[in-house]
mmCIF file of all heavy atoms in Angstrom:
data_model
loop_
_atom_site.group_PDB
_atom_site.id
_atom_site.type_symbol
_atom_site.label_atom_id
_atom_site.label_comp_id
_atom_site.label_asym_id
_atom_site.label_seq_id
_atom_site.Cartn_x
_atom_site.Cartn_y
_atom_site.Cartn_z
ATOM 1 N N GLN U 48 91.374 82.006 102.381
ATOM 2 C CA GLN U 48 91.028 81.041 103.435
ATOM 3 C C GLN U 48 89.858 81.545 104.276
ATOM 4 O O GLN U 48 89.927 82.626 104.860
ATOM 5 C CB GLN U 48 92.236 80.802 104.343
ATOM 6 C CG GLN U 48 92.125 79.567 105.191
ATOM 7 C CD GLN U 48 91.958 78.298 104.376
ATOM 8 O OE1 GLN U 48 90.871 77.788 104.265
ATOM 9 N NE2 GLN U 48 93.030 77.842 103.773
ATOM 10 N N GLU U 49 88.802 80.778 104.288
ATOM 11 C CA GLU U 49 87.634 81.067 105.086
ATOM 12 C C GLU U 49 87.477 79.944 106.115
ATOM 13 O O GLU U 49 87.629 78.795 105.802
ATOM 14 C CB GLU U 49 86.376 81.178 104.221
ATOM 15 C CG GLU U 49 86.424 82.303 103.222
ATOM 16 C CD GLU U 49 85.250 82.312 102.261
ATOM 17 O OE1 GLU U 49 84.866 81.205 101.829
ATOM 18 O OE2 GLU U 49 84.728 83.389 101.976
ATOM 19 N N GLY U 50 87.182 80.310 107.345
ATOM 20 C CA GLY U 50 87.076 79.322 108.404
ATOM 21 C C GLY U 50 86.591 79.930 109.701
ATOM 22 O O GLY U 50 86.244 79.223 110.632
ATOM 23 N N HIS U 51 86.577 81.250 109.715
ATOM 24 C CA HIS U 51 86.088 81.975 110.898
ATOM 25 C C HIS U 51 84.611 82.355 110.682
ATOM 26 O O HIS U 51 84.202 82.679 109.554
ATOM 27 C CB HIS U 51 86.927 83.221 111.164
ATOM 28 C CG HIS U 51 88.294 82.929 111.657
ATOM 29 N ND1 HIS U 51 88.587 82.665 112.988
ATOM 30 C CD2 HIS U 51 89.477 82.841 110.983
ATOM 31 C CE1 HIS U 51 89.864 82.444 113.128
ATOM 32 N NE2 HIS U 51 90.447 82.532 111.920
ATOM 33 N N SER U 52 83.854 82.341 111.773
ATOM 34 C CA SER U 52 82.426 82.661 111.660
ATOM 35 C C SER U 52 82.150 84.151 111.706
ATOM 36 O O SER U 52 81.053 84.595 111.401
ATOM 37 C CB SER U 52 81.646 81.970 112.785
ATOM 38 O OG SER U 52 82.099 82.418 114.066
ATOM 39 N N ARG U 53 83.181 84.932 112.078
ATOM 40 C CA ARG U 53 83.047 86.383 112.098
ATOM 41 C C ARG U 53 84.298 87.027 111.505
ATOM 42 O O ARG U 53 85.130 86.350 110.908
ATOM 43 C CB ARG U 53 82.800 86.871 113.530
ATOM 44 C CG ARG U 53 81.422 86.520 114.086
ATOM 45 C CD ARG U 53 81.163 87.265 115.381
ATOM 46 N NE ARG U 53 81.193 88.727 115.177
ATOM 47 C CZ ARG U 53 81.197 89.603 116.204
ATOM 48 N NH1 ARG U 53 81.198 89.186 117.458
ATOM 49 N NH2 ARG U 53 81.226 90.912 115.943
ATOM 50 N N GLU U 54 84.452 88.327 111.718
ATOM 51 C CA GLU U 54 85.561 89.087 111.151
ATOM 52 C C GLU U 54 86.907 88.564 111.640
ATOM 53 O O GLU U 54 87.060 88.204 112.799
ATOM 54 C CB GLU U 54 85.415 90.562 111.519
ATOM 55 C CG GLU U 54 84.169 91.240 110.994
ATOM 56 C CD GLU U 54 82.958 91.121 111.932
ATOM 57 O OE1 GLU U 54 82.947 90.206 112.750
ATOM 58 O OE2 GLU U 54 82.057 91.981 111.804
ATOM 59 N N VAL U 55 87.897 88.508 110.731
ATOM 60 C CA VAL U 55 89.260 88.126 111.105
ATOM 61 C C VAL U 55 90.041 89.387 111.424
ATOM 62 O O VAL U 55 90.062 90.341 110.632
ATOM 63 C CB VAL U 55 89.952 87.350 109.972
ATOM 64 C CG1 VAL U 55 91.334 86.874 110.412
ATOM 65 C CG2 VAL U 55 89.092 86.151 109.558
ATOM 66 N N PHE U 56 90.670 89.418 112.612
ATOM 67 C CA PHE U 56 91.306 90.642 113.080
ATOM 68 C C PHE U 56 92.825 90.546 113.139
ATOM 69 O O PHE U 56 93.522 91.563 113.037
ATOM 70 C CB PHE U 56 90.762 91.000 114.479
ATOM 71 C CG PHE U 56 90.954 92.448 114.847
ATOM 72 C CD1 PHE U 56 89.999 93.402 114.542
ATOM 73 C CD2 PHE U 56 92.122 92.854 115.483
ATOM 74 C CE1 PHE U 56 90.168 94.725 114.877
ATOM 75 C CE2 PHE U 56 92.296 94.207 115.812
ATOM 76 C CZ PHE U 56 91.324 95.126 115.515
ATOM 77 N N ALA U 57 93.384 89.350 113.362
ATOM 78 C CA ALA U 57 94.822 89.218 113.546
ATOM 79 C C ALA U 57 95.366 88.064 112.700
ATOM 80 O O ALA U 57 94.688 87.063 112.481
ATOM 81 C CB ALA U 57 95.143 88.966 115.017
ATOM 82 N N LEU U 58 96.611 88.233 112.250
ATOM 83 C CA LEU U 58 97.270 87.211 111.421
ATOM 84 C C LEU U 58 98.760 87.292 111.684
ATOM 85 O O LEU U 58 99.364 88.368 111.598
ATOM 86 C CB LEU U 58 96.958 87.457 109.949
ATOM 87 C CG LEU U 58 97.499 86.430 108.960
ATOM 88 C CD1 LEU U 58 96.558 85.220 108.910
ATOM 89 C CD2 LEU U 58 97.629 87.021 107.565
ATOM 90 N N ARG U 59 99.387 86.143 111.980
ATOM 91 C CA ARG U 59 100.833 86.143 112.223
ATOM 92 C C ARG U 59 101.441 84.855 111.688
ATOM 93 O O ARG U 59 100.975 83.740 111.940
ATOM 94 C CB ARG U 59 101.135 86.211 113.727
ATOM 95 C CG ARG U 59 100.712 87.508 114.382
ATOM 96 C CD ARG U 59 101.573 88.682 113.981
ATOM 97 N NE ARG U 59 102.915 88.572 114.579
ATOM 98 C CZ ARG U 59 103.874 89.451 114.394
ATOM 99 N NH1 ARG U 59 103.682 90.510 113.619
ATOM 100 N NH2 ARG U 59 105.051 89.317 114.981
ATOM 101 N N PHE U 60 102.568 84.992 110.927
ATOM 102 C CA PHE U 60 103.303 83.866 110.423
ATOM 103 C C PHE U 60 104.301 83.336 111.442
ATOM 104 O O PHE U 60 104.945 84.129 112.147
ATOM 105 C CB PHE U 60 104.074 84.245 109.141
ATOM 106 C CG PHE U 60 103.212 84.492 107.944
ATOM 107 C CD1 PHE U 60 102.932 85.767 107.532
ATOM 108 C CD2 PHE U 60 102.680 83.428 107.234
ATOM 109 C CE1 PHE U 60 102.110 86.014 106.420
ATOM 110 C CE2 PHE U 60 101.883 83.639 106.133
ATOM 111 C CZ PHE U 60 101.592 84.949 105.723
ATOM 112 N N GLN U 61 104.419 82.028 111.519
ATOM 113 C CA GLN U 61 105.485 81.373 112.279
ATOM 114 C C GLN U 61 106.823 81.770 111.638
ATOM 115 O O GLN U 61 106.889 82.033 110.443
ATOM 116 C CB GLN U 61 105.286 79.876 112.271
ATOM 117 C CG GLN U 61 106.197 79.072 113.165
ATOM 118 C CD GLN U 61 106.077 77.596 112.883
ATOM 119 O OE1 GLN U 61 105.934 77.210 111.720
ATOM 120 N NE2 GLN U 61 106.075 76.769 113.915
ATOM 121 N N LYS U 62 107.894 81.791 112.432
ATOM 122 C CA LYS U 62 109.151 82.337 111.936
ATOM 123 C C LYS U 62 109.747 81.550 110.766
ATOM 124 O O LYS U 62 110.472 82.118 109.962
ATOM 125 C CB LYS U 62 110.188 82.433 113.065
ATOM 126 C CG LYS U 62 110.682 81.121 113.617
ATOM 127 C CD LYS U 62 111.791 81.365 114.651
ATOM 128 C CE LYS U 62 112.366 80.043 115.179
ATOM 129 N NZ LYS U 62 113.446 80.284 116.146
ATOM 130 N N ASP U 63 109.464 80.231 110.657
ATOM 131 C CA ASP U 63 109.990 79.487 109.513
ATOM 132 C C ASP U 63 109.029 79.521 108.321
ATOM 133 O O ASP U 63 109.360 78.996 107.237
ATOM 134 C CB ASP U 63 110.316 78.040 109.896
ATOM 135 C CG ASP U 63 109.079 77.231 110.284
ATOM 136 O OD1 ASP U 63 107.971 77.754 110.170
ATOM 137 O OD2 ASP U 63 109.258 76.070 110.686
ATOM 138 N N GLY U 64 107.869 80.129 108.501
ATOM 139 C CA GLY U 64 106.948 80.333 107.391
ATOM 140 C C GLY U 64 106.058 79.152 107.039
ATOM 141 O O GLY U 64 105.260 79.240 106.099
ATOM 142 N N ALA U 65 106.160 78.060 107.778
ATOM 143 C CA ALA U 65 105.354 76.871 107.449
ATOM 144 C C ALA U 65 103.936 76.998 107.937
ATOM 145 O O ALA U 65 102.999 76.420 107.362
ATOM 146 C CB ALA U 65 105.996 75.613 108.040
ATOM 147 N N LEU U 66 103.745 77.739 109.039
ATOM 148 C CA LEU U 66 102.431 77.861 109.648
ATOM 149 C C LEU U 66 102.022 79.329 109.752
ATOM 150 O O LEU U 66 102.891 80.227 109.798
ATOM 151 C CB LEU U 66 102.414 77.221 111.062
ATOM 152 C CG LEU U 66 102.831 75.784 111.173
ATOM 153 C CD1 LEU U 66 102.850 75.351 112.624
ATOM 154 C CD2 LEU U 66 101.876 74.865 110.380
ATOM 155 N N VAL U 67 100.748 79.568 109.828
ATOM 156 C CA VAL U 67 100.233 80.912 110.070
ATOM 157 C C VAL U 67 99.050 80.794 111.024
ATOM 158 O O VAL U 67 98.277 79.834 110.970
ATOM 159 C CB VAL U 67 99.800 81.610 108.739
ATOM 160 C CG1 VAL U 67 98.690 80.818 108.064
ATOM 161 C CG2 VAL U 67 99.396 83.040 108.990
ATOM 162 N N ALA U 68 98.917 81.737 111.931
ATOM 163 C CA ALA U 68 97.818 81.768 112.891
ATOM 164 C C ALA U 68 96.902 82.945 112.569
ATOM 165 O O ALA U 68 97.352 84.022 112.203
ATOM 166 C CB ALA U 68 98.352 81.904 114.317
ATOM 167 N N SER U 69 95.596 82.694 112.690
ATOM 168 C CA SER U 69 94.608 83.741 112.480
ATOM 169 C C SER U 69 93.625 83.725 113.649
ATOM 170 O O SER U 69 93.433 82.703 114.296
ATOM 171 C CB SER U 69 93.875 83.554 111.148
ATOM 172 O OG SER U 69 93.147 82.314 111.181
ATOM 173 N N ALA U 70 93.037 84.872 113.892
ATOM 174 C CA ALA U 70 92.045 84.978 114.975
ATOM 175 C C ALA U 70 91.171 86.196 114.738
ATOM 176 O O ALA U 70 91.525 87.081 113.949
ATOM 177 C CB ALA U 70 92.719 85.085 116.348
ATOM 178 N N GLY U 71 90.033 86.225 115.431
ATOM 179 C CA GLY U 71 89.168 87.349 115.185
ATOM 180 C C GLY U 71 88.036 87.494 116.187
ATOM 181 O O GLY U 71 88.117 87.063 117.342
ATOM 182 N N LEU U 72 86.953 88.095 115.697
ATOM 183 C CA LEU U 72 85.862 88.489 116.563
ATOM 184 C C LEU U 72 84.954 87.344 116.946
ATOM 185 O O LEU U 72 84.033 87.533 117.746
ATOM 186 C CB LEU U 72 85.063 89.605 115.890
ATOM 187 C CG LEU U 72 85.862 90.849 115.451
ATOM 188 C CD1 LEU U 72 84.930 91.984 115.080
ATOM 189 C CD2 LEU U 72 86.853 91.292 116.524
ATOM 190 N N ASP U 73 85.221 86.132 116.426
ATOM 191 C CA ASP U 73 84.477 84.958 116.886
ATOM 192 C C ASP U 73 85.094 84.366 118.148
ATOM 193 O O ASP U 73 84.565 83.385 118.715
ATOM 194 C CB ASP U 73 84.383 83.879 115.778
ATOM 195 C CG ASP U 73 85.744 83.454 115.252
ATOM 196 O OD1 ASP U 73 86.780 83.910 115.792
ATOM 197 O OD2 ASP U 73 85.785 82.645 114.309
ATOM 198 N N GLY U 74 86.210 84.960 118.617
ATOM 199 C CA GLY U 74 86.848 84.492 119.853
ATOM 200 C C GLY U 74 87.633 83.210 119.688
ATOM 201 O O GLY U 74 88.064 82.607 120.695
ATOM 202 N N VAL U 75 87.852 82.774 118.460
ATOM 203 C CA VAL U 75 88.568 81.526 118.188
ATOM 204 C C VAL U 75 89.759 81.836 117.283
ATOM 205 O O VAL U 75 89.635 82.592 116.331
ATOM 206 C CB VAL U 75 87.651 80.487 117.523
ATOM 207 C CG1 VAL U 75 88.435 79.234 117.150
ATOM 208 C CG2 VAL U 75 86.490 80.116 118.442
ATOM 209 N N GLY U 76 90.889 81.224 117.590
ATOM 210 C CA GLY U 76 92.056 81.314 116.722
ATOM 211 C C GLY U 76 92.246 79.997 115.987
ATOM 212 O O GLY U 76 91.759 78.937 116.426
ATOM 213 N N ARG U 77 92.961 80.047 114.896
ATOM 214 C CA ARG U 77 93.261 78.842 114.118
ATOM 215 C C ARG U 77 94.707 78.884 113.662
ATOM 216 O O ARG U 77 95.227 79.926 113.314
ATOM 217 C CB ARG U 77 92.333 78.706 112.901
ATOM 218 C CG ARG U 77 90.879 78.426 113.271
ATOM 219 C CD ARG U 77 90.036 78.230 112.017
ATOM 220 N NE ARG U 77 88.623 77.965 112.339
ATOM 221 C CZ ARG U 77 88.149 76.741 112.595
ATOM 222 N NH1 ARG U 77 88.951 75.688 112.528
ATOM 223 N NH2 ARG U 77 86.871 76.580 112.905
ATOM 224 N N VAL U 78 95.334 77.716 113.646
ATOM 225 C CA VAL U 78 96.656 77.551 113.077
ATOM 226 C C VAL U 78 96.508 76.782 111.766
ATOM 227 O O VAL U 78 95.873 75.720 111.731
ATOM 228 C CB VAL U 78 97.595 76.807 114.036
ATOM 229 C CG1 VAL U 78 98.968 76.603 113.392
ATOM 230 C CG2 VAL U 78 97.756 77.572 115.353
ATOM 231 N N TRP U 79 97.106 77.342 110.710
ATOM 232 C CA TRP U 79 96.961 76.764 109.373
ATOM 233 C C TRP U 79 98.303 76.284 108.841
ATOM 234 O O TRP U 79 99.330 76.928 109.061
ATOM 235 C CB TRP U 79 96.410 77.816 108.397
ATOM 236 C CG TRP U 79 95.149 78.522 108.839
ATOM 237 C CD1 TRP U 79 95.063 79.585 109.714
ATOM 238 C CD2 TRP U 79 93.833 78.198 108.461
ATOM 239 N NE1 TRP U 79 93.760 79.941 109.864
ATOM 240 C CE2 TRP U 79 92.971 79.114 109.108
ATOM 241 C CE3 TRP U 79 93.273 77.234 107.611
ATOM 242 C CZ2 TRP U 79 91.579 79.099 108.947
ATOM 243 C CZ3 TRP U 79 91.896 77.225 107.430
ATOM 244 C CH2 TRP U 79 91.054 78.137 108.108
ATOM 245 N N ASP U 80 98.277 75.169 108.137
ATOM 246 C CA ASP U 80 99.452 74.671 107.424
ATOM 247 C C ASP U 80 99.418 75.278 106.037
ATOM 248 O O ASP U 80 98.508 75.001 105.246
ATOM 249 C CB ASP U 80 99.393 73.143 107.351
ATOM 250 C CG ASP U 80 100.667 72.539 106.756
ATOM 251 O OD1 ASP U 80 101.314 73.207 105.922
ATOM 252 O OD2 ASP U 80 101.021 71.409 107.119
ATOM 253 N N LEU U 81 100.401 76.113 105.718
ATOM 254 C CA LEU U 81 100.399 76.807 104.422
ATOM 255 C C LEU U 81 100.606 75.843 103.242
ATOM 256 O O LEU U 81 100.200 76.149 102.117
ATOM 257 C CB LEU U 81 101.482 77.893 104.399
ATOM 258 C CG LEU U 81 101.154 79.181 105.151
ATOM 259 C CD1 LEU U 81 102.335 80.125 105.067
ATOM 260 C CD2 LEU U 81 99.919 79.836 104.600
ATOM 261 N N ARG U 82 101.215 74.692 103.510
ATOM 262 C CA ARG U 82 101.459 73.754 102.402
ATOM 263 C C ARG U 82 100.166 73.090 101.943
ATOM 264 O O ARG U 82 99.949 72.849 100.767
ATOM 265 C CB ARG U 82 102.473 72.696 102.830
ATOM 266 C CG ARG U 82 103.883 73.277 103.055
ATOM 267 C CD ARG U 82 104.739 72.367 103.888
ATOM 268 N NE ARG U 82 104.265 72.285 105.277
ATOM 269 C CZ ARG U 82 104.922 71.719 106.261
ATOM 270 N NH1 ARG U 82 106.122 71.208 106.042
ATOM 271 N NH2 ARG U 82 104.433 71.669 107.478
ATOM 272 N N SER U 83 99.293 72.777 102.907
ATOM 273 C CA SER U 83 98.033 72.115 102.572
ATOM 274 C C SER U 83 96.858 73.055 102.581
ATOM 275 O O SER U 83 95.800 72.743 102.010
ATOM 276 C CB SER U 83 97.764 70.968 103.560
ATOM 277 O OG SER U 83 97.544 71.481 104.888
ATOM 278 N N GLY U 84 97.013 74.226 103.252
ATOM 279 C CA GLY U 84 95.893 75.138 103.378
ATOM 280 C C GLY U 84 94.868 74.726 104.394
ATOM 281 O O GLY U 84 93.784 75.292 104.487
ATOM 282 N N ARG U 85 95.177 73.738 105.234
ATOM 283 C CA ARG U 85 94.241 73.205 106.186
ATOM 284 C C ARG U 85 94.492 73.730 107.598
ATOM 285 O O ARG U 85 95.633 74.023 107.957
ATOM 286 C CB ARG U 85 94.289 71.669 106.216
ATOM 287 C CG ARG U 85 93.844 71.012 104.916
ATOM 288 C CD ARG U 85 93.885 69.513 105.041
ATOM 289 N NE ARG U 85 93.397 68.870 103.828
ATOM 290 C CZ ARG U 85 93.348 67.522 103.668
ATOM 291 N NH1 ARG U 85 93.758 66.739 104.646
ATOM 292 N NH2 ARG U 85 92.893 67.014 102.534
ATOM 293 N N SER U 86 93.414 73.847 108.341
ATOM 294 C CA SER U 86 93.515 74.226 109.760
ATOM 295 C C SER U 86 93.964 73.004 110.550
ATOM 296 O O SER U 86 93.335 71.922 110.470
ATOM 297 C CB SER U 86 92.162 74.722 110.282
ATOM 298 O OG SER U 86 92.201 74.951 111.671
ATOM 299 N N ILE U 87 95.043 73.135 111.320
ATOM 300 C CA ILE U 87 95.569 71.993 112.059
ATOM 301 C C ILE U 87 95.352 72.116 113.567
ATOM 302 O O ILE U 87 95.584 71.161 114.313
ATOM 303 C CB ILE U 87 97.071 71.818 111.789
ATOM 304 C CG1 ILE U 87 97.874 73.024 112.262
ATOM 305 C CG2 ILE U 87 97.339 71.524 110.305
ATOM 306 C CD1 ILE U 87 99.390 72.830 112.218
ATOM 307 N N MET U 88 94.874 73.281 114.042
ATOM 308 C CA MET U 88 94.636 73.451 115.458
ATOM 309 C C MET U 88 93.709 74.629 115.704
ATOM 310 O O MET U 88 93.829 75.664 115.046
ATOM 311 C CB MET U 88 95.964 73.679 116.213
ATOM 312 C CG MET U 88 95.813 73.866 117.709
ATOM 313 S SD MET U 88 97.440 74.090 118.522
ATOM 314 C CE MET U 88 96.922 74.518 120.197
#
């Protein structure tokens, strides 16, 4: 999954495993739907 403009530093799964959050040195975080692979927030 590519979507950040700079280095990705953090990654955490939601407890039910449906979503994952990523964030990094671009100062922006993203929430991804693992079923579709799309950024939803």
Side-chain angles (χ1 to χ4, degrees):
Q48 197 60 257
E49 297 174 319
H51 289 277
S52 61
R53 289 191 61 191
E54 298 90 337
V55 184
F56 200 90
L58 185 81
R59 294 289 289 180
F60 288 103
Q61 187 190 39
K62 68 176 183 179
D63 65 5
L66 304 176
V67 61
S69 63
L72 305 192
D73 56 4
V75 176
R77 292 183 179 274
V78 178
W79 308 83
D80 187 330
L81 283 178
R82 293 162 292 191
S83 66
R85 295 181 178 180
S86 174
I87 62 171
M88 180 179 173

